[in-house]
Amino acid sequence: MSNSISQVHSAVQTLTQSSDTLFLLLGAIMVFLMHAGFAFLEVGTVRKKNQVNALVKILADFGVSAVAYFFIGYWVAYDANFFASAETLSAGNGYELVKFFFLLTFAAAIPAIVSGGIAERARFYPILLATLFTVGFVYPFFEGIIWNGNLGVQNWFESTFGAGFHDFAGSVVVHAVGGWIALVAVIFLGMRKGRIRAGKHTNFAPSNIPFLALGAWILCVGWFGFNVMSAQTLNGISGLVAMNSLMAMVGGILASLLAGKNDPGFIHNGPLAGLVAVCAGSDLMHPLGALVTGAIAGAGFVWLFTLLQNRTKIDDVLGVWPLHGVCGAWGGIAAGIFGQEAFGGLGGVSFTVQLLGTILGIVVALVGAGIVYGTLNKVMGLRLSEEDEFSGADLAIHKISAVNEE
C-alpha cells in the first residue's frame, strides 16, 4: 500500500515539474517574441536609411545578452552557474534551465529598450560592448537585490517598514532600469543632425506606420507572457494578473488616444506605457486601479515625449525614457498606491518602500550606465561620423539598404 502511495506521489511530482517547465518555457518563448516587437517598433519609427540597422541591432544585442547573462549576469544576480554536467543541469525536467531562458529574455530587454533611444546615429560594435556590460553587470546587480534578496536590502526594507520592495514582473527591475540606462546613452550621443533648423526643433516623421503598429501589437500580445508567466509555476498563475494587464493596456490606449489627438505613434505606444506601469503591481491591484495606472502612464508618456521632442536637446528617438524609464518608475510607485487594501488591492505593500526601491533602481541605472557609456564614449566613441549618419546606418554599417529601389 505504502509503495503504491509512493508511486502516485512520485508521478504527481513528475507531472508538476514537467508542467511547470512547459509553462515557463511558453512564457520564455512569448517574451522572446517581444523582441520582434521591439525591432518592428523601431523599424517603423526610424527613417528608411536606418531600418536594416534597427533589425540587426536588436538580434545582435540578443546574442550578446545571452552570452553575457549566461557567463556573468545570472551568476551576479542568483549566484548560480551552468558549469556542471548535462545530467545535473537537466534534473527536474530542466526547470532551472528554462528559468534561465525566461529571465534571459527579461535581461535582453535592456539593450532592446536602449536601442530605440539611440537609433540612427550610434556606432554598432561599441553599442554591442555596452550591451555586454549592462546585461552582464548593471542590470543583474539590481535584479539580484530585488528578486534574489542580495546585499540584504530587501531584508532591511521588511524589518524597517514591514514590507519588501514589490515588483512582480519588472516595472522597475526591467523597464525603469532599461529606460534610465537609455537616457544616459542618449545624452552621450547627442541630437541627430538636422533636428534643429533655423533655431527650431524639427521632428522626423515615422517611416512606416504599419511596421510601427505591428511592433506594438507583438509587444502587447507577448506582454501577457511577460506578466502572467512571471508566476514561474502553474500553481502560482493568477487571472488577476491577466485582467490587470488588460485593463492597464486599455487605460493606456484610451489616454493616449485623447492626449495624443489621434496620432498613430502615440496611440500605439499608449498601451505599451500602460503595460510597463502595471508590471510591478499586476498581482496586487484591483482592475480599476490597473485601469487608472495605465491611463496615467499613457497620458504621461504623450506629454513627456512631446516635451522632450519640442523643448529639449534630449533626442530620444522612440521615447524609451518616457515610456520605460518614467512609466516604469510610476509603476513601481503605483504598486504602493493601488496595491493597498484602501484602494481595493490585496495589501502587503508599503508606499515608502516602493518609492525608495524605485529610486534605488534609478540610481543603479544612472551610475552603471554613466560608467559603461562614459568609458566607451571616451575610449572608442559611440557616435557615427557625420558622413555616415547622413548616409544612414544601413549603408554605413551593413552596406545594404532596406529596400532595393531598382
Side-chain angles (χ1 to χ4, degrees):
M1 181 70 175
S2 60
N3 187 45
S4 297
I5 294 174
S6 177
Q7 288 177 338
V8 170
H9 177 74
S10 177
V12 170
Q13 186 177 33
T14 300
L15 180 62
T16 300
Q17 287 179 340
S18 58
S19 298
D20 286 343
T21 301
L22 178 61
F23 172 74
L24 198 56
L25 176 60
L26 293 174
I29 293 169
M30 289 181 72
V31 184
F32 178 46
L33 179 62
M34 289 175 70
H35 288 76
F38 283 118
F40 279 101
L41 190 68
E42 185 174 336
V43 167
T45 305
V46 299
R47 290 167 289 177
K48 290 183 178 179
K49 61 184 180 179
N50 296 298
Q51 290 180 327
V52 171
N53 182 243
L55 292 169
V56 174
K57 193 167 41 167
I58 297 291
L59 193 57
D61 272 333
F62 191 90
V64 173
S65 296
V67 172
Y69 200 63
F70 183 88
F71 287 104
I72 307 170
Y74 198 68
W75 171 73
V76 170
Y78 300 102
D79 194 26
N81 62 64
F82 301 98
F83 299 108
S85 68
E87 182 180 1
T88 301
L89 293 175
S90 61
N93 296 103
Y95 177 84
E96 290 300 321
L97 298 179
V98 173
K99 180 181 177 181
F100 164 80
F101 181 17
F102 183 70
L103 292 172
L104 162 65
T105 60
F106 280 52
I110 300 297
I113 290 168
V114 173
S115 178
I118 63 174
E120 302 201 301
R121 77 273 200 202
R123 295 180 62 204
F124 190 64
Y125 286 105
I127 295 304
L128 289 183
L129 277 176
T131 294
L132 177 68
F133 290 113
T134 52
V135 175
F137 296 98
V138 181
Y139 166 76
F141 175 75
F142 185 67
E143 177 191 18
I145 288 174
I146 302 304
W147 285 345
N148 197 49
N150 294 356
L151 302 182
V153 174
Q154 288 283 40
N155 288 337
W156 181 79
F157 280 150
E158 290 174 10
S159 62
T160 307
F161 302 100
F165 181 73
H166 188 89
D167 191 356
F168 180 70
S171 283
V172 178
V173 174
V174 179
H175 296 286
V177 168
W180 287 85
I181 287 174
L183 176 64
V184 174
V186 165
I187 290 173
F188 272 116
L189 279 163
M191 297 186 76
R192 287 168 290 172
K193 299 297 180 183
R195 285 275 284 113
I196 300 291
R197 297 177 185 175
K200 296 182 179 180
H201 284 68
T202 299
N203 295 320
F204 302 129
S207 61
N208 193 313
I209 296 297
F211 274 164
L212 186 158
L214 175 63
W217 275 104
I218 292 172
L219 285 166
C220 285
V221 172
W223 224 295
F224 287 87
F226 196 98
N227 283 3
V228 175
M229 290 166 173
S230 283
Q232 298 191 19
T233 63
L234 269 176
N235 187 50
I237 193 171
S238 170
L240 182 64
V241 176
M243 183 65 169
N244 285 340
S245 300
L246 174 67
M247 295 303 285
M249 181 184 73
V250 169
I253 291 170
L254 296 178
S256 62
L257 174 66
L258 295 175
K261 300 177 181 178
N262 303 332
D263 182 286
F266 285 137
I267 292 169
H268 285 93
N269 276 282
L272 308 183
L275 285 163
V276 164
V278 82
C279 287
S282 57
D283 63 328
L284 296 177
M285 296 179 181
H286 187 280
L288 289 176
L291 181 67
V292 174
T293 297
I296 291 173
F301 167 73
V302 172
W303 177 80
L304 187 52
F305 182 71
T306 302
L307 178 70
L308 287 182
Q309 292 295 95
N310 298 327
R311 300 288 181 85
T312 74
K313 292 185 178 181
I314 297 174
D315 190 7
D316 184 348
V317 180
L318 269 67
V320 297
W321 176 60
L323 182 66
H324 297 274
V326 176
C327 290
W330 158 239
I333 296 167
I337 300 173
F338 296 106
Q340 302 284 352
E341 292 183 22
F343 287 91
L346 297 181
V349 65
S350 162
F351 174 79
T352 302
V353 171
Q354 292 305 115
L355 181 62
L356 291 176
T358 299
I359 292 172
L360 177 61
I362 293 171
V363 170
V364 169
L366 290 176
V367 173
I371 294 171
V372 171
Y373 286 96
T375 302
L376 288 172
N377 189 50
K378 189 171 183 178
V379 174
M380 304 178 68
L382 294 173
R383 184 156 180 162
L384 289 172
S385 68
E386 189 169 344
E387 180 182 353
D388 284 346
E389 185 180 343
F390 178 80
S391 300
D394 292 359
L395 292 177
I397 297 172
H398 309 289
K399 313 303 180 187
I400 193 170
S401 59
V403 180
N404 188 347
E405 302 291 353
E406 296 180 4

